[in-house]
């Protein structure tokens, strides 16, 4: 990858901003109108150095970052919480969780108030490399190759629970911004499975057993949860079908067909009201599906024949548009039913 190549592109929880990391800089942009909001460039200020990925906490002052590359300031084995409201650069790192092997991603969860006087550095070690981090206002989720760790956040950071997964090199894991749903890869040899756990029920000393959904025969390539955590969308490495599950009933609600030919899916995303779903792939097409008013989706003209199997039973997208096929594409919904 060249120094100008994009390493990570991540939308925040309300899809109103996105963070972009390259080997040369880390920046935050507003979606509409498109405008740069924060520039932490490597080489100019060297405040953060080279960053592998970043996760914003809504539109707050907190950003979770993972260092990577030759120009990194932060260790690739550490998850760093950066507070942009601090005046001095050497005071902006308010939390540092260090692992014995490289971190892949981070996620944050929203809920509790941020008490800066209780944010402090800490060192927590694990026997595996960390791949991703997810943030909520009351939880920090660290994703390793074979484990998912849940921490309290941001006050009095402590580990609450560890879940075992199958090998997860992409750090597939998503947490609902306004609900308790956490979705990640299934355990052990269960290819194509996804585990669901309620974060609100994870407390010190409690061990809730996650529910496993057997979503696909092949490995899971993409997953997404809606804003309140009631819906889960998954796609396999084959990339032809997207399945939508009710996380409360643990049953499949919809089977959506991207196409007939295999494809590499880059992204699945629900609209903020869960009425629509979009998906992008290496075919250079972004597909839009209806989730609530499913009659809007197209059906095969052979469906009424009744003997051609699942191919004609699936629902096809209501609309699509093309993007450059040679570029990996992340898609989401913007204001007024627009797609970004």
């Amino acid at each position: 990858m060249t120094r100008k190549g994009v390493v990570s592109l991540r939308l925040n929880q309300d899809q109103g901003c996105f963070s972009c990391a390259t080997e040369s800089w880390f920046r935050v942009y507003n979606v509409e109108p498109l405008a740069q909001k924060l520039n932490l460039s490597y080489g100019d200020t060297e405040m953060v150095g080279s960053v592998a990925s970043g996760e914003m906490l809504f539109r707050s002052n907190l950003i979770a970052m993972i260092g990577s590359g030759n120009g990194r300031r932060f260790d690739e084995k550490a998850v760093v919480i950066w507070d942009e409201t601090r005046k001095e650069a050497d005071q902006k790192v308010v939390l540092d969780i260090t692992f014995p092997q490289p971190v892949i991603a981070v996620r944050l969860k929203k809920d509790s108030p941020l008490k800066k006087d209780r944010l402090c550095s800490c060192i927590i070690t694990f026997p595996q490399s960390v791949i991703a981090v997810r943030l909520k206002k009351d939880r920090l989720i660290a994703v390793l190759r074979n484990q998912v760790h849940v921490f309290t956040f941001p006050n009095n950071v402590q580990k609450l629970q560890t879940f075992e997964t199958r090998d997860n090199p992409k750090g597939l894991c998503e947490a609902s911004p306004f609900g308790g749903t956490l979705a990640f890869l299934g355990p052990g040899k269960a290819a194509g499975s996804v585990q669901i756990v309620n974060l609100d029920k994870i407390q010190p000393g409690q061990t809730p057993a996650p529910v496993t959904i057997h979503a696909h025969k092949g490995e899971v390539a993409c997953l997404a949860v809606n804003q309140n955590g009631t819906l889960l969308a998954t796609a396999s490495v084959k990339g032809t079908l997207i399945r939508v599950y009710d996380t409360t009933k643990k049953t499949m609600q919809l089977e959506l067909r991207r196409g007939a030919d295999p494809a590499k899916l880059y992204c699945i995303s629900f609209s903020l009201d869960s009425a629509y779903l979009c998906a992008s792939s290496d075919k250079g097409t972004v597909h839009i599906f209806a989730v609530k008013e499913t009659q809007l989706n197209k059906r095969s003209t052979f469906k009424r024949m009744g003997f051609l199997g699942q191919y004609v039973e699936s629902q096809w997208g209501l609309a699509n548009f093309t993007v450059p096929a040679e570029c990996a594409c992340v898609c989401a919904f913007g204001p007024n039913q627009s797609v970004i």
Side-chain angles (χ1 to χ4, degrees), residues 38-253:
L38 180 66
N39 183 356
L40 304 176
S41 296
Y42 164 61
D44 296 330
T45 62
E46 296 190 6
M47 284 191 294
V48 298
S50 180
V51 175
S53 66
E55 170 93 345
M56 300 174 61
L57 182 59
F58 285 80
R59 290 178 177 266
S60 75
N61 50 292
L62 298 182
I63 302 173
M65 291 184 286
I66 302 167
S68 180
N70 296 330
R72 67 179 183 270
R73 174 189 169 190
F74 306 129
D75 196 307
E76 59 184 359
K77 301 175 183 178
V79 174
V80 172
I81 304 298
W82 180 273
D83 184 352
E84 184 55 26
T85 62
R86 301 292 177 101
K87 294 183 179 180
E88 302 297 329
D90 59 357
Q91 297 178 354
K92 290 180 181 290
V93 176
V94 293
L95 182 64
D96 183 339
I97 303 178
T98 302
F99 302 84
Q101 297 185 46
V103 181
I104 299 178
V106 62
R107 296 294 179 263
L108 289 176
K109 178 183 183 297
K110 178 181 181 180
D111 275 330
S112 60
L114 307 177
K115 301 178 181 179
K116 295 182 183 178
D117 59 328
R118 298 175 68 182
L119 280 165
C120 60
S121 296
C122 64
I123 297 177
I124 304 173
T125 60
F126 293 97
Q128 301 178 40
S129 60
V130 181
I131 301 176
V133 181
R134 303 292 181 257
L135 294 177
K136 293 170 73 72
K137 279 193 175 178
D138 66 343
R139 295 290 186 268
L140 184 152
I141 300 100
V143 186
L144 283 65
R145 288 284 299 244
N146 296 97
Q147 293 177 331
V148 171
H149 299 270
V150 179
F151 296 86
T152 56
F153 179 84
N155 310 315
N156 299 323
V157 176
Q158 60 177 309
K159 188 174 72 170
L160 293 177
Q161 189 57 261
T162 296
F163 300 99
E164 302 293 329
T165 74
R166 66 185 287 100
D167 190 42
N168 186 13
K170 294 173 63 178
L172 295 177
C173 175
E174 295 298 336
S176 56
F178 297 104
T181 301
L182 176 67
F184 48 92
L185 287 194
K189 298 180 180 180
S193 65
V194 176
Q195 297 182 85
I196 300 175
V197 68
N198 188 340
L199 289 172
D200 296 333
K201 295 183 179 180
I202 301 178
Q203 302 297 331
Q206 298 180 359
T207 309
V211 174
T212 300
I213 292 178
H214 299 283
H216 304 275
K217 293 181 179 179
E219 296 287 353
V220 175
C222 285
L223 60 84
V225 294
N226 65 343
Q227 291 283 297
N228 58 11
T230 58
L231 296 175
L232 163 72
T234 67
S236 74
V237 291
K238 188 175 181 181
T240 55
L241 294 174
I242 299 169
R243 293 186 171 123
V244 179
Y245 293 86
D246 184 315
T247 60
T248 302
K249 299 177 181 178
K250 312 302 186 296
T251 56
M252 188 175 72
Q253 301 298 295

